[in-house]
Amino acid sequence: MKTHSFDCEFIDEFPPVLVERMLYVSTLYASALHLCACGCGIKVVTPLSPDNWSIIFNGVSISLTPSIGNWSFPCQSHYWIRRGDVIWSDRWSDQKIEANREADHARRERHSTAAYQTAPTVSTPRKRFALWFRKLRP
Ligand SMILES: [Zn+2]
């Protein structure tokens, strides 16, 4: 079933079983996690960093930016989470997905040699996330 809105929960460790319509945020792992809003049941991980996603918490609900494009999933769903509400977006063409991937990659390459490797406060959650992520997808 499609999800129309997400509640949010701030946690340290992600639970092994996710509840639908819940957006989990872990500052420990600098990541957010939710079940795909299309209802396909796939876990969507959104790393929080200057090069990935950002959250805005207004005291009640969360906005996640940029949009979530699940291009590698069979559903290929694309949506925004704004103040907890799911706003469906258009499906991208293969060319647009590929161009976006290349732009993301180039942006991360530029930053990977600078801030991340010198700032332990940033790299520590990233390392914790990498360890956790490996456990999630054996
Ligand atoms: Zn889906």
Side-chain angles (χ1 to χ4, degrees), residues 36 38-40 75 77:
C36 180
C38 88
C40 69
C75 66
S77 57

Side-chain angles (χ1 to χ4, degrees), residues 74-130:
C75 66
Q76 296 216 323
S77 57
H78 183 207
Y79 50 89
W80 294 83
I81 298 177
R82 288 272 171 83
R83 296 183 176 202
D85 289 333
V86 177
I87 298 160
W88 293 93
S89 196
D90 58 322
R91 186 169 288 195
W92 283 7
S93 66
D94 290 344
Q95 290 92 331
K96 194 170 176 185
I97 292 168
E98 192 52 39
N100 189 57
R101 275 195 186 127
E102 283 171 16
D104 278 354
H105 184 74
R107 197 171 56 241
R108 287 190 191 116
E109 285 283 293
R110 278 199 304 275
H111 284 101
S112 66
T113 52
Y116 290 131
Q117 290 175 357
T118 54
T121 53
V122 175
S123 67
T124 303
R126 306 302 321 149
K127 283 180 191 160
R128 279 195 295 261
F129 172 76

Side-chain angles (χ1 to χ4, degrees), residues 8-109:
C8 61
E9 193 176 329
F10 287 86
I11 41 142
D12 285 337
E13 301 285 336
F14 292 116
V17 178
L18 306 187
V19 173
E20 278 188 33
R21 303 190 336 98
M22 185 63 77
L23 178 69
Y24 299 91
V25 178
S26 169
T27 52
L28 186 68
Y29 292 119
S31 298
L33 182 67
H34 68 278
L35 291 174
C36 180
C38 88
C40 69
I42 291 177
K43 291 177 181 174
V44 180
V45 179
T46 46
L48 304 174
S49 82
D51 299 326
N52 290 290
W53 281 269
S54 301
I55 57 165
I56 299 171
F57 176 57
N58 67 4
V60 177
S61 61
I62 281 181
S63 302
L64 203 56
T65 189
S67 64
I68 296 148
N70 295 324
W71 316 125
S72 56
F73 301 165
C75 66
Q76 296 216 323
S77 57
H78 183 207
Y79 50 89
W80 294 83
I81 298 177
R82 288 272 171 83
R83 296 183 176 202
D85 289 333
V86 177
I87 298 160
W88 293 93
S89 196
D90 58 322
R91 186 169 288 195
W92 283 7
S93 66
D94 290 344
Q95 290 92 331
K96 194 170 176 185
I97 292 168
E98 192 52 39
N100 189 57
R101 275 195 186 127
E102 283 171 16
D104 278 354
H105 184 74
R107 197 171 56 241
R108 287 190 191 116
E109 285 283 293

